[in-house]
Amino acid sequence: MTSSLHHEIHSITDKHESARDFLFQRGILKSTMTCSGCSGPMTLIACTEKKSPDLLTWRCSPCRKYRNIRTDSILFGQKLSLQTFLTLIFYLSIKSLSSIAVAQLTDLSENTVSE
């Protein structure tokens, strides 16, 4: 792995906000959301970690309904942090690494890596 690629991956996964922004920019997390109750547009708002570990949630002002930013994405229902998800994807893209090696590099179980 080149030094510049390693630096870029580290800068994306170093902070939660950087990983989240990267996923929004690439369309992995939706940049707009429609309310399931009234079909109106939802607003992205900051929230506490107790409400969402991603520190953002979608909110519909008229209905006062909330939706997780992971809704309708590959990350919905996943417990991995956004940084861990991106790191895992990066290591899995390196064909010379086995799932055992990826598990050791990410401090995840082999079951998590293979799922």
Side-chain angles (χ1 to χ4, degrees):
M1 172 171 39
T2 67
S3 177
S4 63
L5 179 59
H6 183 265
H7 177 72
E8 183 178 354
I9 297 298
H10 180 69
S11 69
I12 293 168
T13 60
D14 185 40
K15 294 183 181 174
H16 181 80
E17 295 80 9
S18 300
R20 187 180 61 208
D21 291 348
F22 180 86
L23 292 167
F24 274 121
Q25 291 166 0
R26 300 307 185 280
I28 296 168
L29 295 176
K30 288 189 168 197
S31 59
T32 61
M33 185 67 66
T34 303
C35 178
S36 59
C38 71
S39 298
M42 300 184 88
T43 305
L44 201 54
I45 62 167
C47 64
T48 64
E49 189 171 351
K50 185 176 180 181
K51 185 154 189 82
S52 170
D54 300 321
L55 303 177
L56 283 178
T57 190
W58 290 105
R59 183 175 186 270
C60 177
S61 295
C63 294
R64 296 187 177 167
K65 289 188 178 191
Y66 292 89
R67 291 185 87 181
N68 188 299
I69 65 169
R70 297 178 184 214
T71 298
D72 297 334
S73 80
I74 192 171
L75 291 161
F76 188 72
Q78 297 295 320
K79 295 181 181 180
L80 294 176
S81 73
L82 300 178
Q83 297 111 299
T84 300
F85 171 76
L86 286 173
T87 302
L88 179 61
I89 294 300
F90 171 71
Y91 284 128
L92 287 172
S93 71
I94 301 172
K95 301 206 183 295
S96 63
L97 290 176
S98 68
S99 59
I100 295 169
V102 172
Q104 291 171 343
L105 288 166
T106 57
D107 292 327
L108 296 171
S109 71
E110 288 179 52
N111 286 340
T112 299
V113 169
S114 62
E115 289 178 359

